[in-house]
């Protein structure tokens, strides 16, 4: 019988294997990792493509220092930029640039195709559907 810890470890391993496969394709074709893609998707969904780092970190489930480390290379490539917050100059906003929007548009079809391929390696269509329901992040992980 599986313990709760075994289940958590199995989930962590599954995430690692799936992420690694998708990262390889995204990196080779677009120079992005899956975590970078998730960040760009969050920015695109934000009003005017802008978000405070602390909000972005919360949406991605990482620390603010983790999101700051992730933003550095994206900012150097011109994919994201910093902008002063008009309400409080101490709080910079992260902005999705036009180049970032273009890259995201190019990378999404690759990521969608690869996600389907990678998940199909591990689970049947019915299992993937059940997994999607079980992991409904908007329902189970909302804080």
């Amino acid at each position: 019988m599986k313990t709760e810890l075994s289940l958590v470890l199995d989930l962590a391993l599954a995430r690692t294997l799936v992420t690694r496969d998708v990262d390889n394709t995204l990196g080779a074709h677009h120079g992005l990792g899956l975590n970078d893609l998730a960040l760009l998707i969050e920015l695109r969904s934000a009003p005017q493509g802008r978000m405070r780092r602390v909000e972005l970190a919360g949406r991605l489930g990482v620390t603010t220092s983790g999101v700051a480390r992730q933003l550095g290379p994206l900012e150097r490539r011109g994919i994201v930029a910093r902008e002063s917050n008009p309400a409080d100059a101490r709080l910079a906003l992260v902005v999705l640039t036009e180049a970032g929007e273009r890259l995201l548009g190019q990378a999404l079809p690759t990521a969608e195709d690869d996600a389907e391929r990678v998940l199909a390696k591990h689970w049947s269509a019915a299992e993937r559907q059940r997994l999607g329901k079980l992991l409904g992040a908007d329902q189970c992980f909302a804080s």
Side-chain angles (χ1 to χ4, degrees), residues 43-119:
L43 280 177
R44 186 179 68 181
S45 70
Q48 291 92 40
R50 292 162 169 72
M51 191 179 289
R52 291 184 313 136
R53 280 196 304 197
V54 68
E55 293 170 307
L56 189 53
R59 297 287 301 252
L60 296 171
V62 299
T63 64
T64 53
S65 61
V67 86
R69 282 190 301 275
Q70 188 178 354
L71 287 168
L74 297 174
E75 191 173 353
R76 285 189 290 281
R77 290 177 58 192
I79 297 168
V80 299
R82 282 187 226 180
E83 187 177 275
S84 294
N85 185 332
D88 186 343
R90 297 171 298 170
L91 300 174
L93 296 170
V94 180
V95 180
L96 182 63
T97 64
E98 286 183 31
E101 183 66 48
R102 277 193 308 277
L103 181 59
L104 180 58
Q106 295 164 0
L108 277 173
T110 303
E112 288 286 352
D113 290 346
D114 214 43
E116 184 177 341
R117 178 190 63 77
V118 168
L119 291 175

Side-chain angles (χ1 to χ4, degrees), residues 9 11 23 30-31 54 57 71 85 88 122 124 128 130 133:
L9 292 172
L11 281 170
D23 271 347
H30 305 287
V54 68
L71 287 168
N85 185 332
D88 186 343
H122 300 282
S124 70
R128 293 191 309 269
R130 282 196 311 271
K133 287 178 183 176

